[in-house]
């Protein structure tokens, strides 16, 4: 059975997809066999990895057809991917809360990382029921932190554990940002990764190049930060 991590926040644009890809590549650099699953119907991760319009996608898990193997695509980042489909936002044939977990049980990976959409959809609840460990990325603004608190509260109903709160797009010396970190620390203590990932234009460059930051700007400080954060998960 693989170890299953997921990145969640009910608020959008907080760095879930960026962190999912960066950590997946870092795990792979550390010699782990990694599978990424894109459970966001918008498919940003799938797009970045050049697998848009794949015929076999994560939707197959919820379509009532049992054809698991063809869903897995190899990528240029040396991690495998189950791509998203826009159909993931439609009606899914969900038998029960264990459905995704059972579908993943037959895969042999060291780590499976699930990227999610914002909100508290039925699909996200299924992901919550499936993962062993939750990572909550958040920008340091009130709405993103509110989203982090919402998902933390929701996650308490499930078996998995919150493993880290990851501040993203951190602007050094922002008074508001410092207050938000204090608030997070009050609530989550040592789970808050400090100082988090700084805001950097390198992410936009990497996205344009259709690559992860870790392969696009291998030697950058920020790539190193994602490696360090991931190291603590080994
Ligand atoms: N540390 C960072 N510095 C600057 N830009 C960043 C950083 N991390 C992510 N970004 C950019 O911010 C945007 C949102 O990040 P990302 O897509 O990872 O968030 P998300 O939570 O997955 O968003 P969505 O709600 O769209 O799924 C992207 O354009 C991404 O390239
Ligand atoms: Mg995303």
């Amino acid at each position: 059975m693989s170890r299953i991590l997921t990145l969640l926040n009910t608020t959008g644009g907080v760095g879930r997809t960026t962190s999912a890809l960066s950590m997946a590549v870092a795990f792979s650099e550390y010699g782990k066999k990694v599978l990424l699953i894109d459970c966001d119907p918008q498919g940003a991760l799938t797009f970045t990895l050049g697998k848009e319009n794949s015929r076999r996608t994560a939707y197959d898990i919820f379509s009532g057809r049992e054809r698991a193997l063809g869903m897995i695509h190899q990528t240029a980042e040396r991690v495998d991917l189950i791509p998203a489909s826009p159909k993931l936002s439609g009606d899914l044939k969900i038998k029960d809360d264990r459905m995704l977990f059972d579908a993943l049980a037959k895969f042999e990976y060291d780590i499976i990382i699930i990227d999610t959409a914002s909100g508290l959809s039925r699909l996200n609840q299924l992901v919550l029921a499936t993962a062993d460990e939750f990572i909550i990325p958040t920008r340091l603004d009130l709405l993103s932190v509110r989203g982090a608190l919402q998902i933390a509260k929701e996650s308490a109903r499930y078996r998995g554990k919150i493993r880290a709160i990851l501040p993203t797009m951190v602007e050094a010396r922002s008074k508001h940002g410092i207050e938000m970190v204090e608030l997070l620390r009050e609530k989550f203590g040592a789970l808050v990764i400090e100082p988090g990932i700084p805001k950097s234009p390198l992410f936009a460059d990497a996205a344009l190049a259709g690559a992860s930051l870790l392969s696009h700007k291998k030697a950058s400080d920020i790539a190193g930060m994602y490696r360090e954060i991931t190291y603590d998960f080994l």
Side-chain angles (χ1 to χ4, degrees), residues 84-140:
S85 157
K87 287 191 283 186
L88 284 171
S89 64
D91 254 352
L92 305 178
K93 289 200 180 71
I94 296 176
K95 278 200 309 258
D96 56 42
D97 259 12
R98 285 187 60 89
M99 188 180 186
L100 180 58
F101 184 87
D102 289 345
L104 303 187
K106 39 187 170 292
F107 296 153
E108 287 179 358
Y109 286 86
D110 297 315
I111 315 258
I112 296 177
I113 300 180
I114 306 176
D115 187 24
T116 61
S118 56
L120 273 175
S121 61
R122 183 77 183 95
L123 181 54
N124 275 1
Q125 285 172 354
L126 220 61
V127 172
L128 278 163
T130 300
D132 304 304
E133 294 162 67
F134 310 129
I135 300 165
I136 305 181
T138 181
R139 290 168 57 146
L140 295 176

Side-chain angles (χ1 to χ4, degrees), residues 131-160:
D132 304 304
E133 294 162 67
F134 310 129
I135 300 165
I136 305 181
T138 181
R139 290 168 57 146
L140 295 176
D141 61 76
L142 190 57
L143 281 181
S144 304
V145 169
R146 172 175 174 260
L149 295 173
Q150 278 177 339
I151 203 72
K153 187 166 174 220
E154 184 67 16
S155 74
R157 299 175 41 214
Y158 296 89
R159 161 190 75 85

Side-chain angles (χ1 to χ4, degrees), residues 13-18 38 40 42-45 115-118:
V14 298
R16 286 184 306 264
T17 301
T18 303
D38 191 351
D40 181 349
Q42 293 211 357
L45 179 63
D115 187 24
T116 61
S118 56

Side-chain angles (χ1 to χ4, degrees), residues 8-127:
L8 296 144
N9 187 318
T10 63
T11 300
V14 298
R16 286 184 306 264
T17 301
T18 303
S19 302
L21 178 58
S22 302
M23 291 182 71
V25 173
F27 273 123
S28 157
E29 289 179 355
Y30 288 126
K32 300 292 181 193
K33 191 172 176 225
V34 184
L35 173 66
L36 274 167
I37 306 180
D38 191 351
C39 278
D40 181 349
Q42 293 211 357
L45 179 63
T46 300
F47 173 74
T48 303
L49 290 171
K51 299 293 171 185
E52 249 191 333
N53 305 319
S54 294
R55 208 162 56 79
R56 308 292 311 283
T57 69
Y59 178 73
D60 289 358
I61 298 173
F62 308 106
S63 66
R65 285 171 293 154
E66 189 65 24
R67 295 194 298 168
L69 278 179
M71 292 185 303
I72 297 179
H73 299 250
Q74 294 183 330
T75 74
E77 298 276 356
R78 278 178 286 128
V79 297
D80 288 350
L81 171 74
I82 298 182
S85 157
K87 287 191 283 186
L88 284 171
S89 64
D91 254 352
L92 305 178
K93 289 200 180 71
I94 296 176
K95 278 200 309 258
D96 56 42
D97 259 12
R98 285 187 60 89
M99 188 180 186
L100 180 58
F101 184 87
D102 289 345
L104 303 187
K106 39 187 170 292
F107 296 153
E108 287 179 358
Y109 286 86
D110 297 315
I111 315 258
I112 296 177
I113 300 180
I114 306 176
D115 187 24
T116 61
S118 56
L120 273 175
S121 61
R122 183 77 183 95
L123 181 54
N124 275 1
Q125 285 172 354
L126 220 61
V127 172

